[in-house]
Amino acid sequence: MTTHKNTTTTASSRGGYSYMELLSEWELVDNDDSWKKDAACKGMDSSMFFPEQGANVQFKKAAKVCAKCPVYKQCMNFALVNNINYGVWGGLTPKERERSTDELVASLRGVK
């Protein structure tokens, strides 16, 4: 299960992302984002969740918002299932999501 980049849209080439631009750039495996209406980040500046590379302060601020969010698990799952490798989703950075996925795969295979 992987997503495939949709070549008709190039939000990343414009230097930034919004939630909708990100979703329009990918062919999603799971496109159920009904949980977002209850997200703590709804209406907030998306640059906090989609910062420029290396903006660790923004990641920390975003994670604090996610920690109080009633739908952070659905958000995190959305990013993991769709292999989204940009932005903070469910309180996890891309590196944290990659590590979480690797650990999950290893546990399913019985590797430690």
Side-chain angles (χ1 to χ4, degrees), residues 15-51:
Y17 285 90
S18 72
Y19 176 80
M20 294 312 294
E21 286 174 324
L22 180 70
L23 294 184
S24 69
E25 259 195 52
W26 299 90
E27 294 175 23
L28 302 173
V29 172
D30 173 10
N31 61 4
D32 177 13
D33 64 353
S34 59
W35 49 267
K36 71 179 181 163
K37 69 184 182 326
D38 298 319
C41 63
K42 185 177 178 180
M44 295 182 77
D45 182 2
S46 64
S47 67
M48 181 186 306
F49 300 91
F50 303 103

Side-chain angles (χ1 to χ4, degrees), residues 92-110:
L92 298 180
T93 66
K95 286 183 181 181
E96 291 169 330
R97 287 194 304 276
E98 183 178 323
R99 185 173 61 237
S100 296
T101 303
D102 291 346
E103 290 170 3
L104 175 62
V105 169
S107 71
L108 292 172
R109 291 183 178 161

